[in-house]
Amino acid sequence: MDSVIEKLSDIEATAEAIVEHAQEQKHEIEKHIQAKRDQFDMELEEETQAKLKKIRDESEKRVEKILKEQREKNQSTIDNIKKEYEENHSIYAREILEHIIEV
């Protein structure tokens, strides 16, 4: 009877050791998975930030190009108006004076 109890005790001790070892392995696997998850998250964040920066930079270049074109167009219009004024300011002044006198 004692030998049966000893055998059962040995089996129970072996089972406990197996369970402990399995728990340790489980813990190590969880740490490994978490480390991979953290690495993935970090890489994804870096990739996302790089893509966002590229999109932002491209958008800024497009906006700057549009603004430059608009400035050039506006400057051209201003130059044309100044030129017309320089060429015709006497005529405009005379027309304004005639209009005032007619009233």
Side-chain angles (χ1 to χ4, degrees):
M1 182 76 164
D2 285 337
S3 73
V4 172
I5 294 174
E6 283 180 28
K7 291 269 186 200
L8 288 174
S9 178
D10 287 344
I11 291 171
E12 186 177 348
T14 303
E16 286 177 5
I18 290 171
V19 169
E20 271 185 44
H21 182 68
Q23 290 292 346
E24 290 172 8
Q25 283 183 326
K26 178 183 171 189
H27 182 69
E28 289 301 315
I29 290 170
E30 287 173 347
K31 282 173 45 178
H32 180 71
I33 289 171
Q34 185 61 44
K36 281 189 170 187
R37 188 178 302 136
D38 292 345
Q39 180 68 25
F40 175 79
D41 289 348
M42 186 181 74
E43 289 172 0
L44 182 61
E45 179 66 22
E46 288 174 358
E47 184 180 326
T48 301
Q49 290 302 321
K51 286 180 180 180
L52 285 173
K53 183 181 181 327
K54 181 179 178 185
I55 291 169
R56 230 180 278 118
D57 291 346
E58 289 173 358
S59 295
E60 287 175 7
K61 285 179 185 176
R62 276 186 263 152
V63 167
E64 190 56 42
K65 181 181 176 192
I66 291 169
L67 287 173
K68 181 182 177 191
E69 290 171 357
Q70 192 62 43
R71 277 188 222 106
E72 290 171 356
K73 181 180 174 186
N74 290 348
Q75 189 59 48
S76 176
T77 302
I78 290 170
D79 292 343
N80 289 337
I81 291 171
K82 283 181 180 179
K83 181 180 176 189
E84 182 181 342
Y85 172 78
E86 290 297 324
E87 292 174 357
N88 299 314
H89 71 279
S90 297
I91 295 170
Y92 296 147
R94 190 174 318 115
E95 288 176 1
I96 291 171
L97 185 60
E98 287 175 5
H99 184 68
I100 292 172
I101 294 173
E102 287 177 1
V103 176

